[in-house]
Amino acid sequence: MSTASRGYLTIAARKPRYLEMAVDMALSLKEHTSLPVALGADETLEALARQRYPSVFDVVTLIPERFRQGRALKYGSAEASPFEETVFVDADCFVLAPLDALFDVLASEDMAMTGEHLTVDDERIHHGFSTRALIRRFGLETYLKTNSGLFCFRRSAALAIMDECLACHLDEVMKQLRWSTLLGRWLGDELAFGIVGGRRKLGVLPSPHQMFWPQEFSSIDLERPAKALLHFVWPPAPEILDALLRRAAERRAAAGVPNESGGEPWREEVRKLARLSSRRRLFGRVGWH
């Protein structure tokens, strides 16, 4: 397949800080791939990306309006992608090693997520919910417990899958589980991914997974990374954060890209994660533990 039919996608919408993080993610990704990197955005950040960062993203597209409410943004990734084969990487990530091998799974799967299929005999907690209870409530054979920071899809097939995820999110998750937020549970995009993923038996990305999990953050070695993706699902150690931001600033300088934010969006993200972790609620939100 030609490289024009294959590439990476990230998303930034609503707040400029997400665009700043997407820029740093994309520049780190470009150190490890020759494939194009696209950005899906709303009108405001699309215009800002084209004006301020024309050299960072190979393509900038709009996320359709119907996906912009609440936690539904990632369901718009198939329509926003300009590629037939896409690896989606969340904006709040740094890429530490190549990810191109993930495209291989699309030879046999329409879509593949980071995670695992669970049955009623398994019991995990996902965003505060019992996966066994979710399987029973929604009449599933399996539930796809996933972190949606990294997944891949074939656009032609994923368009229908993502529409199903959106409908599930709006008509099932938000309606049937909305009162669960009073118990500290979180109605993120991964619940509909998990339900639809179970119904459709969506694929999973190969193990070992490429993402650092929270319990692995204390052993991160940026010089010899054991995994390819550092997703900000947990506060990194101060020295790791400083090194990441120093490298991000160096990439921006080398690419001639402005660095007016000085890494503050990432520091804000870490402060938010630290507040969550101090309340012992973060493990229910990260999609894996």
Side-chain angles (χ1 to χ4, degrees), residues 139-267:
L140 308 174
E141 291 184 6
T142 67
Y143 176 82
L144 177 54
K145 185 172 184 286
T146 183
N147 182 299
S148 61
L150 179 68
F151 58 90
C152 64
F153 58 86
R154 291 194 298 110
R155 185 180 188 275
S156 55
L159 290 169
I161 297 171
M162 293 300 194
D163 275 339
E164 189 174 333
C165 287
L166 178 63
C168 177
H169 177 71
L170 296 176
D171 300 334
E172 297 182 84
V173 172
M174 297 304 295
K175 291 182 179 179
Q176 295 189 39
L177 304 178
R178 64 185 182 278
W179 297 114
S180 298
T181 58
L182 299 176
L183 302 175
R185 295 166 181 165
W186 190 58
L187 303 184
D189 56 62
E190 290 162 359
L191 291 174
F193 276 132
I195 295 165
V196 173
R199 287 172 178 161
R200 284 182 168 261
K201 301 297 187 292
L202 293 182
V204 294
L205 295 176
S207 295
H209 296 297
Q210 292 298 310
M211 188 183 298
F212 282 98
W213 303 123
Q215 63 268 27
E216 299 169 327
F217 269 47
S218 61
S219 62
I220 291 173
D221 182 347
L222 296 180
E223 299 304 321
R224 293 176 295 278
K227 295 189 172 184
L229 195 68
L230 201 169
H231 188 193
F232 273 49
V233 295
W234 193 258
E239 63 272 16
I240 296 294
L241 178 62
D242 289 344
L244 289 168
L245 297 186
R246 184 168 56 252
R247 293 182 181 190
E250 291 170 353
R251 290 188 199 100
R252 286 187 180 232
V257 172
N259 191 26
E260 296 172 2
S261 67
E264 180 56 27
W266 295 100
R267 296 191 186 279

Side-chain angles (χ1 to χ4, degrees), residues 129-145:
F129 293 90
S130 156
T131 58
R132 181 179 295 159
L134 290 171
I135 288 170
R136 288 172 172 161
R137 174 184 281 267
F138 294 102
L140 308 174
E141 291 184 6
T142 67
Y143 176 82
L144 177 54
K145 185 172 184 286

